[in-house]
Amino acid sequence: MSDIIQLLPDHVANQIAAGEVVQRPASVVKELLENAIDAGATNIKLLLKDAGKTLIQVIDDGKGMSATDARMCFERHATSKIQKAEDLFNLCTKGFRGEALASIAAIAHVELKTKEDNEELGSSIKIEGSKIVSQDFVSTSKGTSLAVKNLFYNIPARRNFLKSDTVETRHIVDEFQRVALAHPNISFLLHHNNNEVYHLKSSNLRKRIVAVFGSKMNEKLVPIDEQTDILNIEGFVAKPEFSKRKRGEQFFFVNDRFIKSSYLNHAVVNAFDGLLEQGAHPSYFLYLKVPANTIDINIHPTKTEIKFDNEKALYAMLRATVKHSLGQYNVAPVLDFNRDATLDTPYDFNAKQKSTSVPKISIDPNFNPFKEEEPKKNNFPFKREKQTDSWESLYTSTTVSHKENNQELFNNQEEVKTQKTFQIQRKYLLSSIKSGVVLINQSLAHQRVLYESFLESITVKEANSQQLLFPVKISFSSAEIEMIYTIKTELENAGFSFDEFTKDSVTIKGIPVSVTESKITIILEELLSDIDLEVPDASFSYFDIMAKSFAKTLSIKTGTLLSEKEQEGLVNDLFSCKEPTISPFGKSTFKTLTLNEIDNLFNN
Ligand code: ADP
Ligand code: MG
């Protein structure tokens, strides 16, 4: 047989590389902005037309290129930033792979103008699909202008795959913000279709964050500052009460490079322990500086993921530093998200009444601090199918064995029949039992109930699903879509049904009965981030993570007022569980106080 293996021509190899480096206009923006920064620019302009589909142009006042370099920079593996493999472990530039310009030039019309400071004339090069169309000397100002036109003009499949201008612009703005936040001392301009979108002047970190996210950001920021031998941390976290329902304003920069790290994110979230409502995501802007030789950036083509030598130590330090700052800035007392002003009224009311220095007090004569409020609708989304409606039935004998065990706690049916539950501070349920009292944490108890119910439906595959009148289309990143697709069967078992999957959206036409339509996005987002944070081990199962995640997201929260019926229903459901004593996350769901223990309280 004859030999059949050949080396690919450069332009083909470049197009293949482009597939990795350039997914969309935003990828080009990122590469060009980073090149401008590496060139030492202090002013960078980004001009766009049609969400970058028609034009992406970056103009900088950096060091420029010589005529030869202007030609060389489009070659594959052409870089001025590293020379030998060891340099990879001591990087202080954004780029180093030398493939961005080669890739971009393979799939677009590119025009480069560049001039070094000490030269009279600069160079201009036009290149289309890796072919040089022209090269001239031109008079131009110091620095580099790179215009990328008609992206993917020669790969229709990729071009057609681009999303609407709104979506592509959003991606570009994300990249722009990341770069702008990493370099507050550089001034940035962003124009889209000749409209100015951002004009960020050279400033400090705090001002840059405020300039990017708006003036309301200023009051939210808590400064972070810690210097150690292996790590410097600077930046800000937003006060817990400004946390977001969606992950969004979360930024880690390591040595001035924006990176994604669910591990470090976990450290920050952990530092907020107890300060965040469930399902809320803290905003943060954290700038980590580590010795360049302790990280590996070359593990991902877009360089947004890096490997740390010292991951565990960083985690611990980051967590401690954020925690410390939250405490120091007295943020910790602002705990209660669901704090309802009316709860405070009785005390306020009394204080005013006693006051003599303020003679005129207007008091609402109808105000009754002890009046029962109407429970909010929908705050108790879950109804167990086999739930017995009446409180009494919990204490009548039943055929289910674990139920009987749980009921040993309540050892006299007749007596308990007349018992009521009481809600304390919208957090605990108190109930009297034969031997004393039981205090139930409503949120943790509900987590247990939901967890067992979901686990059962996921594993026995007979979940009750409700069809949506109008299917809901939800956008996710492509990685998230991939994950949803991976666990599609499990989600279907739980009661979801799907219509269409695209690269960055999914259409949902059915949901579990215990889920309300408004919660679809949040429970899926939470599930994805829980899966993300899970460290897989031998016992790793999506079933369990899913049931835990749903239980956490959907459980009634501290601060929710429950009607008497709901309280009883919850207690009833809890003690019908297989393991009523602990929440799915291992916390006690209730405590009992025996009569003896109560007596002892008064024996002094
Ligand atoms: P990398 O950034 O990984 O080195 P690129 O393909 O992005 O690879 O760029 C190739 C080279 O072109 C860079 O190493 C740099 O020397 C030069 N270059 C690119 N953009 C600029 C710029 N805006 N100003 C000066 N030099 C640039
Ligand atoms: Mg580069």
Side-chain angles (χ1 to χ4, degrees), residues 2 35 44 49 79 154 161 187 294 332 391 401 461 492 549 558 574 580 595:
S2 56
N35 278 349
I44 301 177
K49 285 216 171 93
T79 180
N154 52 355
F161 206 61
S187 94
T294 64
W391 175 234
S401 62
K461 304 184 175 74
E492 283 166 351
S549 178
T558 294
L574 177 66
L595 202 59

Side-chain angles (χ1 to χ4, degrees), residues 31-41 58-66 69-70 72-82 93-104 112-116 143-146 303:
E31 294 298 335
L32 299 189
L33 291 177
E34 291 189 347
N35 278 349
I37 288 164
D38 284 345
V58 171
I59 305 167
D60 71 53
D61 61 354
K63 67 179 186 220
M65 283 181 261
S66 70
D69 282 356
M72 265 300 277
C73 71
F74 295 108
E75 293 296 328
R76 209 141 73 91
H77 306 308
T79 180
S80 55
K81 298 168 194 173
I82 58 170
T93 52
K94 309 269 166 193
F96 56 85
R97 297 168 64 109
E99 59 190 0
L101 293 186
S103 304
I104 294 166
L112 166 70
K113 278 188 192 154
T114 186
K115 188 178 89 71
E116 290 177 298
T144 302
S145 155
L146 209 120
K303 296 167 277 185

